[in-house]
Amino acid sequence: MKIRHEIWLCVLCAPAMAAGLCPRPLSVGWDQWPPFHYRTTQGRMAGYAVEVLNAAAQRLGCTLEYRQTPWPRTLQQLQTGQLDIAMQALKTPARERFAWFASGYSPTFIRFWARAERVDRWKVRRLEDIGRLGPLTLGITRGDSFGPQLDAWLRALPANVRVEVGGELEGNLRKLQLGRVDLLLASGNAARGILSGLPAKPAVAPLALSWYVGDAYFVFSRGSVPEPLFRAFDGALREMKRDGTLPAIYRRNFAEAYPVD
């Protein structure tokens, strides 16, 4: 049984508490997923999404409680109101039925990944080309959405593609390195972040084709988060974009400029 770790992050609480906006700590689901959210060897929460959410919470004077849960369970508990917030979520109609989506903060590009020495084998210029490559095993991470086009493609796969669903992206990247899957679908920044902590060889590289699937979002449970509180977080994130706070956090984490809307 996986032990659930909880970390309390306390921030200034005078403004929001005085207004009754945050009468209790807000629970945030997370799992080890660098460079977006992870626990350092010193036990501190870190990562791009964590920094952005912390900054928004500080502006509102809210307290956050980080709870480590696997991503599928995070979504389930968001739906039931057992968790208040999840990070790095793509917007889907199913999720919108139980969650509020705050202003996007994390541009997301999805790519196919392969063993580096086999990249030239996979001649993919369009998604339709996958169906002409011969038998292959495609790895995906349980609970992930890859945007409308790829999600629809996964529901009606060509006959040559067999899907292997894994619980975590790190495990799926190891499967790719070990040759247990031929290709893997994953976001660029997420895959690069996890690869930095895996063995350097066999090397893994993306195929040339990529899909911009919009921003990832912070999502707030409709069952446990009042709409005024969600609207306050949404406003704080929009202001962080306008005043340069969010682009500065993005540059610090990814060493490149925040994409222009």
Side-chain angles (χ1 to χ4, degrees):
M1 179 178 178
K2 186 173 182 178
I3 298 174
R4 187 182 72 182
H5 299 279
E6 297 186 3
I7 294 180
W8 289 77
L9 169 71
C10 294
V11 294
L12 296 176
C13 58
M17 290 298 187
L21 190 61
C22 286
R24 61 172 177 82
L26 297 172
S27 56
V28 185
W30 73 281
D31 208 350
Q32 199 77 357
W33 197 30
F36 300 106
H37 39 81
Y38 58 96
R39 189 202 304 276
T40 68
T41 55
Q42 292 77 35
R44 183 178 62 86
M45 290 299 301
Y48 172 64
V50 170
E51 288 188 41
V52 175
L53 185 60
N54 287 354
Q58 186 168 13
R59 290 186 179 213
L60 299 177
C62 292
T63 301
L64 303 178
E65 175 194 33
Y66 285 91
R67 298 180 182 177
Q68 187 173 5
T69 58
W71 178 242
R73 191 184 306 165
T74 292
L75 289 176
Q76 290 171 1
Q77 293 187 353
L78 197 76
Q79 188 169 1
T80 60
Q82 294 171 276
L83 276 175
D84 298 314
I85 305 171
M87 301 179 282
Q88 284 298 125
L90 294 185
K91 186 182 293 186
T92 69
R95 293 172 183 176
E96 286 186 285
R97 287 195 286 269
F98 61 81
W100 313 100
F101 282 73
S103 177
Y105 70 97
S106 185
T108 301
F109 294 85
I110 303 296
R111 306 187 75 164
F112 285 101
W113 296 78
R115 288 263 293 263
E117 78 273 13
R118 299 177 183 173
V119 165
D120 290 341
R121 173 184 174 184
W122 309 112
K123 303 295 184 183
V124 178
R125 291 184 173 82
R126 301 179 304 164
L127 187 56
E128 293 78 9
D129 294 338
I130 296 288
R132 296 187 280 270
L133 292 176
L136 65 89
T137 301
L138 174 67
I140 63 173
T141 302
R142 182 177 294 109
D144 273 3
S145 169
F146 303 101
Q149 182 183 3
L150 287 168
D151 285 352
W153 180 77
L154 286 167
R155 289 192 294 269
L157 285 168
N160 64 307
V161 178
R162 183 181 73 86
V163 167
E164 181 165 327
V165 181
E168 296 181 352
L169 180 55
E170 180 176 352
N172 285 334
L173 285 165
R174 284 296 291 150
K175 288 180 183 179
L176 185 61
Q177 287 183 317
L178 297 172
R180 291 173 55 187
V181 298
D182 300 302
L183 296 174
L184 176 69
L185 270 178
S187 79
N189 283 337
R192 290 187 182 93
I194 292 176
L195 284 168
S196 67
L198 294 180
K201 295 182 179 181
V204 169
L207 305 190
L209 192 62
S210 69
W211 291 263
Y212 171 62
V213 295
D215 283 357
Y217 298 82
F218 296 117
V219 292
F220 295 73
S221 172
R222 290 178 181 264
S224 64
V225 176
E227 185 172 357
L229 177 55
F230 158 71
R231 297 294 176 194
F233 267 94
D234 184 63
L237 288 166
R238 292 178 187 276
E239 182 61 29
M240 287 167 60
K241 282 186 179 180
R242 287 192 293 267
D243 67 19
T245 301
L246 192 150
I249 296 172
Y250 187 91
R251 181 181 291 277
R252 183 165 64 247
N253 280 270
F254 301 118
E256 61 185 31
Y258 186 84
V260 177
D261 293 336

